Amino acid sequence: MAIAGGTQNIPWLFTGTFFLMSSRRWCSAGSHRDYPRKQFLPWVYYFFIANILIFFAAFRLAELNDVSQIWIGRGFFVWLSVFNLFVVSVFWSFMADIWSKEQSRRLFGVISAGGSTGALIGPLITGAVVVQIGFEYLLLLSAVLLTGAVLCVSRLRVWAVQQTPDPTAGSVDSDQQSAVRPGRESAWY
């Protein structure tokens, strides 16, 4: 999608990604501070699910009305770059908050290996599936899978609460408890 309008536009797409990431950082800084993470994380995923559905609708409407998809594709390229960076950082901050230091040392390598394996196998599966259903419907599949991720996060959060009476004891976040403003929730729970 990035090269559909010509390779000369790729630097502009990355510049757009840079500015969107920079603005996202300033916009989300306040929401991190004002809302507990147990509320923030699912809403981040729901926001991205809604974005995926909007792009699905835009691509379908453009195809049905025989309109060029170049600008939608460019917007999707920039959005997807931001999505990839943001979702990975939110995932690892969640992992750092729910595991103790000992659990982190034991599990982070396995989780990272699983992510790397998915990064290698995912494009192969996508390449096979896109021929069958079309790229627009891959967006719907992505929305379903991201909804599954929200359910997994919810279940994992409940599990973590049941495992530890003090969910931040021994976690990376435990050293920062004193820095939290009074009246604000500091953990995922």
Side-chain angles (χ1 to χ4, degrees):
M1 290 183 187
I3 62 171
T7 57
Q8 71 277 7
N9 294 317
I10 291 177
W12 292 110
L13 295 175
F14 281 111
T15 303
T17 301
F18 169 75
F19 284 114
L20 191 59
M21 271 308 281
S22 298
S23 66
R24 190 244 15 116
R25 193 249 180 257
W26 292 110
C27 293
S28 68
S31 60
H32 286 294
R33 184 182 63 239
D34 294 336
Y35 296 103
R37 283 181 253 179
K38 72 178 184 178
Q39 293 174 358
F40 180 73
L41 184 65
W43 286 109
V44 166
Y45 284 140
Y46 291 139
F47 170 76
F48 283 120
I49 291 167
N51 283 212
I52 290 170
L53 296 175
I54 289 168
F55 274 111
F56 169 76
F59 280 120
R60 289 298 296 154
L61 285 173
E63 184 178 326
L64 292 173
N65 295 317
D66 201 29
V67 175
S68 174
Q69 297 179 356
I70 289 177
W71 283 102
I72 301 169
R74 288 175 181 168
F76 183 72
F77 177 86
V78 170
W79 174 85
L80 188 61
S81 300
V82 172
F83 169 79
N84 285 331
L85 293 170
F86 193 65
V87 168
V88 170
S89 66
V90 170
F91 168 79
W92 281 111
S93 67
F94 176 66
M95 293 292 109
D97 280 351
I98 66 167
W99 304 118
S100 68
K101 289 180 184 179
E102 292 76 26
Q103 290 171 322
S104 308
R105 289 185 185 123
R106 184 171 45 88
L107 296 172
F108 278 14
V110 174
I111 294 169
S112 182
S116 297
T117 303
L120 293 171
I121 295 173
L124 298 174
I125 295 170
T126 302
V129 172
V130 75
V131 173
Q132 302 296 321
I133 65 174
F135 81 91
E136 297 97 347
Y137 291 101
L138 274 178
L139 293 172
L140 290 181
L141 180 61
S142 298
V144 168
L145 293 174
L146 197 53
T147 302
V150 172
L151 296 174
C152 289
V153 163
S154 299
R155 302 259 334 211
L156 189 56
R157 189 177 64 222
V158 169
W159 176 85
V161 168
Q162 293 171 349
Q163 296 299 313
T164 311
D166 180 11
T168 59
S171 72
V172 175
D173 200 31
S174 64
D175 297 333
Q176 299 172 357
Q177 291 295 322
S178 60
V180 176
R181 296 186 314 189
R184 300 284 187 214
E185 213 172 312
S186 60
W188 290 94
Y189 316 99

